[in-house]
Amino acid sequence: LEYTPDLPAERSGGDLDASGTLARVLPAARSGKEVMLLCVGGEGSMRMGANLVLNLASLGLRHMLLFAPKQEVCDGVWEVLPRVACVWQPSAFASKRPASLYNDAMRLFGMREFNPVALDFFRARKRLLVQLVLSHGLNVLHLDADVAVLANPYPLFKGPLLEHQLIFQTDNPFANAGVFYVQGVARGSGGAWLLEELNARIERFTFRPESVRELPHSGWSAPPHFANADEQANLNDVIASALIGERTFAAGVEFFEARFKAQFAPGHCWKAGAASYGSAECVSAREGKQRLGSPRYQAETHRAR
């Protein structure tokens, strides 16, 4: 199975905040109802992104839409790959996030995996995915830039796996939020619920970190909350919710609330004589550590895994 864009064009792209951009660009990216969404970060990811484009083209797969944070990334790609459709959305990276241990982990603790630009990018690409699937009726192969595709996956998607709406690469042992395929998903379906619920959870914990206290096992948490908005952690909780028939946040959000409250606590929270030992932040951190050592808490927050 080979796929080429319906209407190939050079330098087809634009800012997604401009009215009609996506509808205008899609004919240069889609092949019928199929499109691949390639998620390329900043300029540092352009080489990986270009490698992935060439990798996919060598397999006969040219129906791709690159998503980047800003126009400069697409301009750089177009210098060597002018016939690849590419869109950007700077506004997605302009929102001011409230203080939380998750939102501020890179600034406070130097944890590069919590790079604010990357966190905004993960959030924005899932919103774009929902647009492609639910507003434009497309089947989408969602790919991270740091991926090598060794064989055309479409004979699997359109053969043995055709009856499945959501197909995820595993990530020992979780579903990978960066590499998956969505097909045949319409509004009101179970697949649509999963995609929209994932977006809702990412938005919730990014912009309302205090809402973690509303969850069944996290009412003890005091500011600053961790409020895990990670796309993969929340994806796996959403999948678990669908399987057990009730919403759970246990493994992806609540377990990590205890873990990171304890891990990121200031040193004085563990010194009984310190003036702030009895502060709400310190009491909450010690509560998190105590819960991590509780077999009951471990069982409650891991039962959905």
Side-chain angles (χ1 to χ4, degrees), residues 69-87:
K70 52 187 178 180
Q71 181 176 349
E72 288 78 2
V73 176
C74 290
D75 287 339
V77 171
W78 284 332
E79 287 182 13
V80 292
L81 299 165
R83 295 175 73 82
V84 175
C86 189
V87 293

Side-chain angles (χ1 to χ4, degrees), residues 123-228:
R123 194 164 50 85
R125 68 182 184 173
K126 290 300 182 287
R127 292 201 306 269
L128 176 56
L129 171 69
V130 168
Q131 282 184 274
L132 292 170
V133 173
L134 300 186
S135 298
H136 294 273
L138 297 176
N139 302 324
V140 181
L141 178 55
H142 179 293
L143 294 170
D144 283 334
D146 59 345
V147 166
V149 182
L150 303 182
N152 184 339
Y154 281 90
L156 280 176
F157 297 156
K158 302 307 179 185
L161 301 179
L162 182 59
E163 65 183 46
H164 299 283
Q165 291 186 322
L166 302 163
I167 304 165
F168 292 92
Q169 175 177 292
T170 58
D171 194 2
N172 295 328
F174 307 109
N176 190 317
V179 182
F180 58 92
Y181 181 62
V182 182
Q183 64 180 342
V185 171
R187 292 190 186 277
S189 68
W193 176 85
L194 187 146
L195 298 177
E196 293 179 308
E197 178 72 8
L198 173 59
N199 276 353
R201 293 188 185 202
I202 294 172
E203 293 290 318
R204 171 183 178 174
F205 296 119
T206 297
F207 294 105
R208 291 197 300 121
E210 71 283 356
S211 71
V212 76
R213 288 177 51 85
E214 301 166 9
L215 304 182
H217 308 103
S218 301
W220 54 270
S221 183
H225 305 288
F226 182 68
N228 192 13

Side-chain angles (χ1 to χ4, degrees), residues 214-269:
E214 301 166 9
L215 304 182
H217 308 103
S218 301
W220 54 270
S221 183
H225 305 288
F226 182 68
N228 192 13
D230 175 71
E231 60 173 354
Q232 184 155 308
N234 278 279
L235 168 65
N236 282 273
D237 270 356
V238 174
I239 292 173
S241 299
L243 292 173
I244 66 177
E246 62 181 77
R247 280 185 170 88
T248 178
F249 301 80
V253 179
E254 298 196 88
F255 171 77
F256 287 104
E257 190 66 20
R259 174 182 172 183
F260 286 112
K261 284 290 292 182
Q263 180 175 329
F264 293 153
H268 58 74
C269 287

